[in-house]
């Protein structure tokens, strides 16, 4: 059996080696490493795929979030509502800009922001909501946009884990995640659903004025060459990464389908296990399974991770400490927040290997051992 990995980037690369090698070679030949042709071409291609007019590539997903918040003119002390049950980047950026994260709990079924709790979290200082489309499915964007519009708040989607997923609204319209809020942010970290061979990210918007502002912030606040209007930063997608992404984007839907098949196989196999709750997909969203994360009932998770490791099956805890319990936020003197679902999930979730190259032998092996260890 091919050794099992959380993500198998090698086998994915080998399948398109000639194409990717040629694309990288072309960048080397032209030596236009910064803002080369492939960068603009990829931005165009992604804009068409997402059906969103403006795509501004940047250096990584964390920068994308930071630039989005800077471009919206958020100021120190402004409150930003966001889940605590997420990767740290989302809240770290809020704190870095001296904004105040206001954590709300997540829905126990979708693991995304519980929109029932949104209104209660709003104060006169609230300026933005940052939902995270965790593990590959969307937060309830219809509810989030409704509340945001009522209260005149910005919405920045953290779409680092759900590129390619789409949301169906009650009027029947369908939109890709990352194109629904005022700004969408994504990451091309190698293991993401659309990953490059280093760091990369992008900022997405349908608003031309915002797009201009975002471009300016990402480029030293520059309005024209050597004229700097606002304090910005330097965040670019390099040409080699754009060349790789150009090869991979046409394959994204197939990649997401492959992940979906793995998830379906797992969920069927775990359906009758009383101590495993497989992930569920909300009716309003598709799921692109960046992670396949299940909830364990009455199982010693550390023991299970060790048992799985003992038979060559990696498993990960995403995430072992929620943001509101991280030491980095102690300086904020955040009032004690009560996030019972977040704490409950944090102790019980486990993520199994899922990627585009998994074969039947590996799947059978994993399912057999998980069901054997979890009884
Ligand atoms: C990966 C990730 C990020 C950050 O992306 P980087 O490219 O690693 O900076 C932000 N938010 C979420 C939810 C992520 O999964």
């Amino acid at each position: 059996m091919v050794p099992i990995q959380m993500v198998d980037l090698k086998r994915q690369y080998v399948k398109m080696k000639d194409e990717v090698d040629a694309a990288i070679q072309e960048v080397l030949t032209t030596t236009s490493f910064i803002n080369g042709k492939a960068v603009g071409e990829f931005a165009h291609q992604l804009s068409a795929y997402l059906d969103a007019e403006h795509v501004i590539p940047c250096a990584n997903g964390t920068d994308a979030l930071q630039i989005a918040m800077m471009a919206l003119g958020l100021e120190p002390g402004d409150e930003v509502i966001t889940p605590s049950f997420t990767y740290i980047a989302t809240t770290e950026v809020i704190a870095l800009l001296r904004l105040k994260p206001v954590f709300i709990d997540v829905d126990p079924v979708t693991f995304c922001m519980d929109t029932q709790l949104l209104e209660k979290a709003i104060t006169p200082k609230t300026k933005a909501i940052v939902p995270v489309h965790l593990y590959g499915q969307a937060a309830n964007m219809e509810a989030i946009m409704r509340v945001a519009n009522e209260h005149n708040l910005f919405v920045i989607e953290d779409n680092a884990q759900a590129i390619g997923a789409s949301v169906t609204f009650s009027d029947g319209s369908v939109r890709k995640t990352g194109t629904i809020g005022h700004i969408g942010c994504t990451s091309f970290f190698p293991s993401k659903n659309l990953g490059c061979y280093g760091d990369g990210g992008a900022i997405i918007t349908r608003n031309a004025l915002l797009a201009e502002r975002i471009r300016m912030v990402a480029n030293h606040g520059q309005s024209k060459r050597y004229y700097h209007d606002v304090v910005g930063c330097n965040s670019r997608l390099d040409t080699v990464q754009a060349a790789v992404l150009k090869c991979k984007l046409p394959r994204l839907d197939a990649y997401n389908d492959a992940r979906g098949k793995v998830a379906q196989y797992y969920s069927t196999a775990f359906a009758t296990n009383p101590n495993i709750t497989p992930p569920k997909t909300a009716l309003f969203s598709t799921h692109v399974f960046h992670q396949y994360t299940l909830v364990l009932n009455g199982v010693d998770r550390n023991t299970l991770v060790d048992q799985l490791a003992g038979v060559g099956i990696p498993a990960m805890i995403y995430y072992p400490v929620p943001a509101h319990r991280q030491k980095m936020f102690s300086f904020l003197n955040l009032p004690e927040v009560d996030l019972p679902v977040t704490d409950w999930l944090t102790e019980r979730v486990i993520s199994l290997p899922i990627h585009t190259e998994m074969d039947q032998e590996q799947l059978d092996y994993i399912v057999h051992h998980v069901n054997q260890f979890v009884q």
Side-chain angles (χ1 to χ4, degrees):
M1 187 175 64
V2 178
I4 299 168
Q5 295 173 263
M6 285 302 286
V7 179
D8 190 339
L9 296 174
K10 179 82 181 279
R11 284 213 287 176
Q12 194 189 64
Y13 164 63
V14 166
K15 283 188 182 166
M16 55 179 176
K17 184 177 184 310
D18 291 348
E19 200 183 322
V20 174
D21 288 1
I24 293 175
Q25 186 57 53
E26 195 189 321
V27 180
L28 300 185
T29 306
T30 60
T31 65
S32 58
F33 300 116
I34 298 296
N35 285 332
K37 194 161 60 77
V39 178
E41 287 170 354
F42 169 67
H44 253 92
Q45 194 186 18
L46 184 59
S47 156
Y49 173 83
L50 293 171
D51 189 21
E53 214 167 334
H54 309 281
V55 170
I56 299 101
C58 67
N60 56 68
T62 309
D63 273 10
L65 289 159
Q66 179 181 330
I67 292 162
M69 289 178 211
M70 289 169 76
L72 289 171
L74 302 189
E75 287 178 1
D78 288 349
E79 294 181 5
V80 179
I81 302 173
T82 193
S84 169
F85 191 66
T86 177
Y87 182 57
I88 196 64
T90 327
T91 20
E92 185 183 30
V93 160
I94 295 172
L96 182 73
L97 295 174
R98 294 291 186 262
L99 310 171
K100 186 177 159 205
V102 174
F103 295 114
I104 63 170
D105 218 344
V106 291
D107 178 282
V109 176
T110 64
F111 309 134
C112 291
M113 176 180 278
D114 182 348
T115 53
Q116 311 262 18
L117 304 172
L118 261 181
E119 302 245 46
K120 261 187 291 176
I122 295 173
T123 76
K125 289 190 157 178
T126 308
K127 288 287 162 57
I129 305 171
V130 183
V132 181
H133 304 317
L134 200 71
Y135 303 149
Q137 75 171 315
N140 186 346
M141 288 306 293
E142 180 152 352
I144 291 166
M145 295 313 291
R146 193 188 317 120
V147 173
N149 289 335
E150 267 165 33
H151 295 265
N152 212 7
L153 306 175
F154 293 119
V155 175
I156 302 168
E157 294 173 72
D158 183 341
N159 196 33
Q161 300 192 1
I163 194 160
S166 51
V167 175
T168 302
F169 292 84
S170 48
D171 66 1
S173 62
V174 179
R175 278 209 191 163
K176 287 260 183 354
T177 53
T179 72
I180 302 160
H182 300 87
I183 302 182
C185 297
T186 201
S187 163
F188 306 122
F189 185 81
S191 64
K192 300 280 156 104
N193 290 34
L194 177 63
C196 56
Y197 293 173
D199 274 309
I203 307 151
I204 298 125
T205 183
R206 295 172 182 277
N207 181 314
L209 282 175
L210 261 181
E212 199 180 313
R213 184 104 187 152
I214 290 163
R215 281 184 209 285
M216 189 159 79
V217 170
N219 185 25
H220 299 291
Q222 180 169 280
S223 55
K224 63 181 185 186
R225 200 160 207 191
Y226 304 128
Y227 289 79
H228 305 272
D229 296 3
V230 294
V231 173
C233 56
N234 171 27
S235 189
R236 298 184 280 240
L237 179 71
D238 69 66
T239 316
V240 168
Q241 302 311 333
V244 172
L245 289 164
K246 266 184 68 190
C247 299
K248 288 183 75 172
L249 180 56
R251 295 169 163 88
L252 177 60
D253 286 342
Y255 286 161
N256 285 342
D257 286 348
R259 288 172 178 275
K261 290 211 175 74
V262 171
Q264 200 175 5
Y265 188 79
Y266 278 148
S267 290
T268 305
F270 301 141
T272 53
N273 190 318
N275 294 322
I276 292 176
T277 306
K280 292 188 188 68
T281 307
L283 289 173
F284 53 76
S285 178
T286 61
H287 202 318
V288 295
F289 287 99
H290 175 59
Q291 299 298 343
Y292 182 84
T293 303
L294 38 83
V295 181
L296 299 169
N297 313 312
V299 175
D300 183 338
R301 189 171 58 179
N302 291 334
T303 306
L304 176 61
V305 170
D306 290 347
Q307 285 172 318
L308 289 171
V311 294
I313 302 173
M316 292 292 285
I317 311 304
Y318 299 120
Y319 297 90
V321 183
H324 73 292
R325 297 198 180 282
Q326 296 286 354
K327 205 162 144 190
M328 67 151 73
F329 294 129
S330 53
F331 81 98
L332 286 171
N333 290 319
L334 291 175
E336 188 58 32
V337 278
D338 189 26
L339 305 174
V341 179
T342 294
D343 285 335
W344 189 86
L345 285 172
T346 298
E347 283 166 19
R348 287 169 182 79
V349 288
I350 186 168
S351 299
L352 297 180
I354 190 163
H355 54 76
T356 58
E357 311 303 315
M358 293 188 78
D359 60 43
Q360 197 55 46
E361 192 185 7
Q362 293 176 318
L363 286 175
D364 287 335
Y365 183 84
I366 294 168
V367 158
H368 168 80
H369 282 95
V370 171
N371 274 330
Q372 181 193 335
F373 296 141
V374 182
Q375 291 197 2

Tab-separated table of all heavy atoms in Angstrom, residues 58-65 85-93 131-135 158-162 185-192 198-202 290-291 319, ligand 1:
chain	number	residue	atom	x	y	z
A	58	CYS	N	-1.956	38.029	-3.600
A	58	CYS	CA	-1.040	38.532	-2.566
A	58	CYS	C	-0.194	37.374	-2.042
A	58	CYS	O	-0.253	36.274	-2.577
A	58	CYS	CB	-1.822	39.228	-1.449
A	58	CYS	SG	-2.859	38.133	-0.488
A	59	ALA	N	0.586	37.648	-1.007
A	59	ALA	CA	1.639	36.710	-0.606
A	59	ALA	C	1.150	35.485	0.163
A	59	ALA	O	1.788	34.432	0.129
A	59	ALA	CB	2.685	37.441	0.222
A	60	ASN	N	0.050	35.604	0.862
A	60	ASN	CA	-0.483	34.460	1.619
A	60	ASN	C	-1.875	34.807	2.139
A	60	ASN	O	-2.318	35.959	2.032
A	60	ASN	CB	0.455	34.065	2.778
A	60	ASN	CG	0.724	35.219	3.712
A	60	ASN	OD1	-0.169	35.676	4.427
A	60	ASN	ND2	1.950	35.722	3.700
A	61	GLY	N	-2.542	33.835	2.729
A	61	GLY	CA	-3.911	34.043	3.197
A	61	GLY	C	-3.997	34.978	4.390
A	61	GLY	O	-4.981	35.706	4.554
A	62	THR	N	-2.967	34.962	5.224
A	62	THR	CA	-2.960	35.839	6.392
A	62	THR	C	-2.864	37.298	5.948
A	62	THR	O	-3.601	38.165	6.438
A	62	THR	CB	-1.772	35.489	7.321
A	62	THR	OG1	-1.800	34.078	7.569
A	62	THR	CG2	-1.851	36.232	8.631
A	63	ASP	N	-1.976	37.549	4.994
A	63	ASP	CA	-1.870	38.899	4.424
A	63	ASP	C	-3.200	39.317	3.800
A	63	ASP	O	-3.605	40.483	3.910
A	63	ASP	CB	-0.801	38.943	3.323
A	63	ASP	CG	0.594	39.208	3.872
A	63	ASP	OD1	0.762	39.164	5.101
A	63	ASP	OD2	1.504	39.458	3.055
A	64	ALA	N	-3.850	38.392	3.117
A	64	ALA	CA	-5.123	38.715	2.461
A	64	ALA	C	-6.109	39.276	3.490
A	64	ALA	O	-6.762	40.304	3.262
A	64	ALA	CB	-5.699	37.475	1.786
A	65	LEU	N	-6.176	38.628	4.647
A	65	LEU	CA	-7.086	39.088	5.705
A	65	LEU	C	-6.662	40.461	6.226
A	65	LEU	O	-7.484	41.349	6.435
A	65	LEU	CB	-7.103	38.065	6.860
A	65	LEU	CG	-7.802	36.739	6.540
A	65	LEU	CD1	-7.336	35.636	7.491
A	65	LEU	CD2	-9.316	36.893	6.608
A	85	PHE	N	-13.321	29.128	16.948
A	85	PHE	CA	-13.002	27.772	16.484
A	85	PHE	C	-12.505	27.857	15.041
A	85	PHE	O	-13.249	27.645	14.084
A	85	PHE	CB	-14.266	26.896	16.579
A	85	PHE	CG	-13.989	25.431	16.376
A	85	PHE	CD1	-13.233	24.722	17.292
A	85	PHE	CD2	-14.513	24.756	15.282
A	85	PHE	CE1	-12.986	23.363	17.107
A	85	PHE	CE2	-14.271	23.400	15.095
A	85	PHE	CZ	-13.507	22.706	16.008
A	86	THR	N	-11.227	28.202	14.887
A	86	THR	CA	-10.649	28.408	13.552
A	86	THR	C	-9.136	28.432	13.659
A	86	THR	O	-8.576	28.443	14.761
A	86	THR	CB	-11.144	29.742	12.936
A	86	THR	OG1	-10.502	29.954	11.669
A	86	THR	CG2	-10.842	30.933	13.824
A	87	TYR	N	-8.501	28.490	12.513
A	87	TYR	CA	-7.053	28.677	12.468
A	87	TYR	C	-6.737	30.083	12.990
A	87	TYR	O	-7.495	31.023	12.775
A	87	TYR	CB	-6.555	28.497	11.029
A	87	TYR	CG	-5.061	28.639	10.905
A	87	TYR	CD1	-4.199	27.838	11.654
A	87	TYR	CD2	-4.509	29.578	10.055
A	87	TYR	CE1	-2.836	27.989	11.557
A	87	TYR	CE2	-3.136	29.726	9.953
A	87	TYR	CZ	-2.307	28.932	10.707
A	87	TYR	OH	-0.956	29.088	10.610
A	88	ILE	N	-5.608	30.221	13.645
A	88	ILE	CA	-5.292	31.443	14.374
A	88	ILE	C	-5.175	32.693	13.500
A	88	ILE	O	-5.409	33.822	13.967
A	88	ILE	CB	-3.987	31.243	15.191
A	88	ILE	CG1	-3.843	32.326	16.263
A	88	ILE	CG2	-2.774	31.193	14.298
A	88	ILE	CD1	-4.907	32.303	17.323
A	89	ALA	N	-4.833	32.521	12.223
A	89	ALA	CA	-4.565	33.681	11.351
A	89	ALA	C	-5.704	34.694	11.375
A	89	ALA	O	-5.468	35.907	11.412
A	89	ALA	CB	-4.322	33.214	9.913
A	90	THR	N	-6.912	34.187	11.364
A	90	THR	CA	-8.076	35.062	11.283
A	90	THR	C	-8.092	36.077	12.417
A	90	THR	O	-8.228	37.276	12.200
A	90	THR	CB	-9.364	34.203	11.321
A	90	THR	OG1	-9.120	32.951	10.664
A	90	THR	CG2	-10.522	34.925	10.675
A	91	THR	N	-7.953	35.593	13.635
A	91	THR	CA	-8.007	36.506	14.784
A	91	THR	C	-6.698	37.221	15.032
A	91	THR	O	-6.686	38.347	15.522
A	91	THR	CB	-8.381	35.761	16.078
A	91	THR	OG1	-8.116	34.394	15.921
A	91	THR	CG2	-9.804	36.012	16.434
A	92	GLU	N	-5.621	36.585	14.664
A	92	GLU	CA	-4.311	37.211	14.876
A	92	GLU	C	-4.244	38.555	14.152
A	92	GLU	O	-3.760	39.563	14.692
A	92	GLU	CB	-3.209	36.291	14.348
A	92	GLU	CG	-1.826	36.795	14.614
A	92	GLU	CD	-0.774	35.897	14.001
A	92	GLU	OE1	-1.048	35.256	12.962
A	92	GLU	OE2	0.327	35.832	14.550
A	93	VAL	N	-4.735	38.560	12.922
A	93	VAL	CA	-4.707	39.776	12.115
A	93	VAL	C	-5.574	40.869	12.744
A	93	VAL	O	-5.204	42.046	12.759
A	93	VAL	CB	-5.183	39.422	10.689
A	93	VAL	CG1	-5.630	40.644	9.955
A	93	VAL	CG2	-4.075	38.706	9.937
A	131	PRO	N	-16.668	35.745	8.899
A	131	PRO	CA	-16.990	34.328	8.981
A	131	PRO	C	-15.864	33.488	8.379
A	131	PRO	O	-15.152	33.958	7.484
A	131	PRO	CB	-18.261	34.196	8.130
A	131	PRO	CG	-18.229	35.344	7.184
A	131	PRO	CD	-17.420	36.438	7.838
A	132	VAL	N	-15.686	32.288	8.890
A	132	VAL	CA	-14.695	31.356	8.347
A	132	VAL	C	-15.452	30.159	7.787
A	132	VAL	O	-16.273	29.567	8.487
A	132	VAL	CB	-13.727	30.880	9.463
A	132	VAL	CG1	-12.683	29.929	8.879
A	132	VAL	CG2	-13.047	32.064	10.144
A	133	HIS	N	-15.180	29.830	6.541
A	133	HIS	CA	-15.839	28.661	5.926
A	133	HIS	C	-15.015	27.427	6.290
A	133	HIS	O	-14.229	26.924	5.480
A	133	HIS	CB	-15.963	28.859	4.428
A	133	HIS	CG	-16.678	30.123	4.049
A	133	HIS	ND1	-17.833	30.544	4.690
A	133	HIS	CD2	-16.412	31.056	3.108
A	133	HIS	CE1	-18.238	31.687	4.137
A	133	HIS	NE2	-17.398	32.022	3.194
A	134	LEU	N	-15.202	26.975	7.510
A	134	LEU	CA	-14.282	25.997	8.096
A	134	LEU	C	-14.395	24.600	7.478
A	134	LEU	O	-15.494	24.106	7.257
A	134	LEU	CB	-14.517	25.913	9.607
A	134	LEU	CG	-13.350	25.315	10.392
A	134	LEU	CD1	-12.158	26.262	10.427
A	134	LEU	CD2	-13.770	24.946	11.807
A	135	TYR	N	-13.267	24.002	7.262
A	135	TYR	CA	-13.103	22.637	6.736
A	135	TYR	C	-13.623	22.463	5.309
A	135	TYR	O	-13.597	21.354	4.778
A	135	TYR	CB	-13.814	21.600	7.622
A	135	TYR	CG	-13.404	21.570	9.074
A	135	TYR	CD1	-14.328	21.214	10.064
A	135	TYR	CD2	-12.102	21.865	9.479
A	135	TYR	CE1	-13.980	21.144	11.395
A	135	TYR	CE2	-11.752	21.807	10.820
A	135	TYR	CZ	-12.686	21.441	11.765
A	135	TYR	OH	-12.333	21.369	13.098
A	158	ASP	N	-13.387	34.547	5.284
A	158	ASP	CA	-12.145	33.787	5.301
A	158	ASP	C	-12.419	32.489	4.546
A	158	ASP	O	-12.983	31.545	5.085
A	158	ASP	CB	-11.679	33.506	6.736
A	158	ASP	CG	-10.347	32.768	6.765
A	158	ASP	OD1	-9.975	32.173	5.725
A	158	ASP	OD2	-9.685	32.756	7.818
A	159	ASN	N	-12.006	32.502	3.273
A	159	ASN	CA	-12.314	31.380	2.390
A	159	ASN	C	-11.089	30.496	2.156
A	159	ASN	O	-11.008	29.783	1.163
A	159	ASN	CB	-12.832	31.938	1.048
A	159	ASN	CG	-13.535	30.892	0.221
A	159	ASN	OD1	-14.173	29.997	0.759
A	159	ASN	ND2	-13.413	30.982	-1.093
A	160	ALA	N	-10.136	30.541	3.086
A	160	ALA	CA	-8.887	29.785	2.901
A	160	ALA	C	-9.131	28.282	2.788
A	160	ALA	O	-8.354	27.566	2.160
A	160	ALA	CB	-7.929	30.069	4.057
A	161	GLN	N	-10.217	27.800	3.383
A	161	GLN	CA	-10.449	26.351	3.395
A	161	GLN	C	-11.572	25.907	2.463
A	161	GLN	O	-11.890	24.722	2.418
A	161	GLN	CB	-10.756	25.884	4.835
A	161	GLN	CG	-9.615	26.177	5.796
A	161	GLN	CD	-9.755	25.481	7.139
A	161	GLN	OE1	-10.709	24.744	7.375
A	161	GLN	NE2	-8.802	25.706	8.018
A	162	ALA	N	-12.181	26.833	1.751
A	162	ALA	CA	-13.397	26.421	1.016
A	162	ALA	C	-13.424	26.895	-0.426
A	162	ALA	O	-14.498	27.013	-1.015
A	162	ALA	CB	-14.630	26.910	1.762
A	185	CYS	N	-11.220	36.365	1.194
A	185	CYS	CA	-9.779	36.135	1.303
A	185	CYS	C	-9.501	34.656	1.142
A	185	CYS	O	-10.250	33.830	1.670
A	185	CYS	CB	-9.279	36.571	2.678
A	185	CYS	SG	-9.513	38.332	2.947
A	186	THR	N	-8.436	34.332	0.443
A	186	THR	CA	-8.098	32.924	0.356
A	186	THR	C	-6.592	32.712	0.409
A	186	THR	O	-5.815	33.664	0.287
A	186	THR	CB	-8.738	32.254	-0.875
A	186	THR	OG1	-8.790	30.849	-0.673
A	186	THR	CG2	-7.961	32.546	-2.152
A	187	SER	N	-6.216	31.463	0.615
A	187	SER	CA	-4.816	31.083	0.759
A	187	SER	C	-4.489	29.999	-0.252
A	187	SER	O	-5.313	29.122	-0.520
A	187	SER	CB	-4.581	30.530	2.167
A	187	SER	OG	-3.365	29.789	2.224
A	188	PHE	N	-3.271	30.058	-0.809
A	188	PHE	CA	-2.806	29.000	-1.705
A	188	PHE	C	-1.675	28.214	-1.059
A	188	PHE	O	-0.805	27.677	-1.752
A	188	PHE	CB	-2.362	29.590	-3.052
A	188	PHE	CG	-3.409	30.437	-3.721
A	188	PHE	CD1	-3.153	31.762	-4.054
A	188	PHE	CD2	-4.667	29.917	-4.001
A	188	PHE	CE1	-4.123	32.553	-4.667
A	188	PHE	CE2	-5.652	30.696	-4.607
A	188	PHE	CZ	-5.380	32.020	-4.944
A	189	PHE	N	-1.657	28.174	0.259
A	189	PHE	CA	-0.715	27.321	0.996
A	189	PHE	C	-0.767	25.924	0.350
A	189	PHE	O	-1.839	25.481	-0.062
A	189	PHE	CB	-1.172	27.278	2.468
A	189	PHE	CG	-0.239	26.546	3.382
A	189	PHE	CD1	0.895	27.166	3.876
A	189	PHE	CD2	-0.507	25.237	3.757
A	189	PHE	CE1	1.752	26.478	4.729
A	189	PHE	CE2	0.350	24.544	4.608
A	189	PHE	CZ	1.489	25.172	5.088
A	190	PRO	N	0.382	25.245	0.229
A	190	PRO	CA	0.416	24.007	-0.564
A	190	PRO	C	-0.686	22.985	-0.246
A	190	PRO	O	-1.190	22.320	-1.154
A	190	PRO	CB	1.799	23.434	-0.239
A	190	PRO	CG	2.630	24.645	0.056
A	190	PRO	CD	1.703	25.629	0.734
A	191	SER	N	-1.055	22.856	1.012
A	191	SER	CA	-2.035	21.811	1.353
A	191	SER	C	-3.484	22.267	1.205
A	191	SER	O	-4.405	21.472	1.410
A	191	SER	CB	-1.791	21.325	2.782
A	191	SER	OG	-2.016	22.387	3.690
A	192	LYS	N	-3.707	23.516	0.844
A	192	LYS	CA	-5.103	23.967	0.666
A	192	LYS	C	-5.693	23.331	-0.597
A	192	LYS	O	-4.966	22.789	-1.424
A	192	LYS	CB	-5.145	25.503	0.569
A	192	LYS	CG	-4.586	26.202	1.809
A	192	LYS	CD	-5.585	26.268	2.958
A	192	LYS	CE	-4.918	26.408	4.293
A	192	LYS	NZ	-4.935	27.692	4.928
A	198	GLY	N	4.513	26.971	-2.558
A	198	GLY	CA	5.142	27.883	-1.623
A	198	GLY	C	3.994	28.616	-0.963
A	198	GLY	O	2.932	28.038	-0.751
A	199	ASP	N	4.165	29.888	-0.696
A	199	ASP	CA	3.072	30.676	-0.126
A	199	ASP	C	2.360	31.465	-1.213
A	199	ASP	O	2.965	31.863	-2.213
A	199	ASP	CB	3.620	31.648	0.921
A	199	ASP	CG	3.735	31.007	2.297
A	199	ASP	OD1	2.730	30.412	2.757
A	199	ASP	OD2	4.814	31.085	2.901
A	200	GLY	N	1.082	31.698	-0.980
A	200	GLY	CA	0.296	32.505	-1.911
A	200	GLY	C	-1.068	32.789	-1.330
A	200	GLY	O	-1.522	32.098	-0.408
A	201	GLY	N	-1.703	33.825	-1.846
A	201	GLY	CA	-3.051	34.150	-1.383
A	201	GLY	C	-3.724	35.091	-2.362
A	201	GLY	O	-3.100	35.538	-3.344
A	202	ALA	N	-4.990	35.372	-2.117
A	202	ALA	CA	-5.701	36.317	-2.979
A	202	ALA	C	-6.834	36.979	-2.217
A	202	ALA	O	-7.369	36.429	-1.248
A	202	ALA	CB	-6.246	35.624	-4.222
A	290	HIS	N	-11.941	20.440	2.702
A	290	HIS	CA	-10.533	20.722	2.967
A	290	HIS	C	-10.050	19.771	4.071
A	290	HIS	O	-8.945	19.247	4.025
A	290	HIS	CB	-10.353	22.180	3.395
A	290	HIS	CG	-8.957	22.487	3.782
A	290	HIS	ND1	-7.897	22.324	2.916
A	290	HIS	CD2	-8.417	22.909	4.949
A	290	HIS	CE1	-6.778	22.644	3.536
A	290	HIS	NE2	-7.060	23.000	4.765
A	291	GLN	N	-10.908	19.591	5.053
A	291	GLN	CA	-10.643	18.575	6.081
A	291	GLN	C	-11.848	17.649	6.189
A	291	GLN	O	-12.980	18.074	5.952
A	291	GLN	CB	-10.401	19.224	7.455
A	291	GLN	CG	-9.221	20.170	7.518
A	291	GLN	CD	-7.898	19.504	7.217
A	291	GLN	OE1	-7.771	18.277	7.249
A	291	GLN	NE2	-6.907	20.308	6.880
A	319	TYR	N	-8.763	22.349	15.797
A	319	TYR	CA	-7.523	22.865	16.340
A	319	TYR	C	-7.536	22.562	17.827
A	319	TYR	O	-8.595	22.628	18.455
A	319	TYR	CB	-7.428	24.359	16.067
A	319	TYR	CG	-7.395	24.607	14.549
A	319	TYR	CD1	-8.569	24.783	13.843
A	319	TYR	CD2	-6.193	24.585	13.863
A	319	TYR	CE1	-8.531	24.960	12.454
A	319	TYR	CE2	-6.146	24.774	12.474
A	319	TYR	CZ	-7.315	24.946	11.777
A	319	TYR	OH	-7.306	25.108	10.422
B	1	LIG	C1	-4.590	28.563	6.001
B	1	LIG	C2	-5.537	29.503	6.619
B	1	LIG	C3	-5.264	30.884	6.720
B	1	LIG	C4	-3.927	31.495	6.416
B	1	LIG	O1	-3.367	31.217	5.209
B	1	LIG	P1	-1.781	31.354	5.017
B	1	LIG	O2	-1.647	31.325	3.526
B	1	LIG	O3	-1.146	30.187	5.686
B	1	LIG	O4	-1.350	32.641	5.584
B	1	LIG	C5	-6.239	31.711	7.230
B	1	LIG	N1	-7.423	31.226	7.647
B	1	LIG	C6	-7.717	29.917	7.588
B	1	LIG	C7	-9.040	29.451	8.067
B	1	LIG	C8	-6.783	29.004	7.086
B	1	LIG	O5	-7.077	27.711	7.050
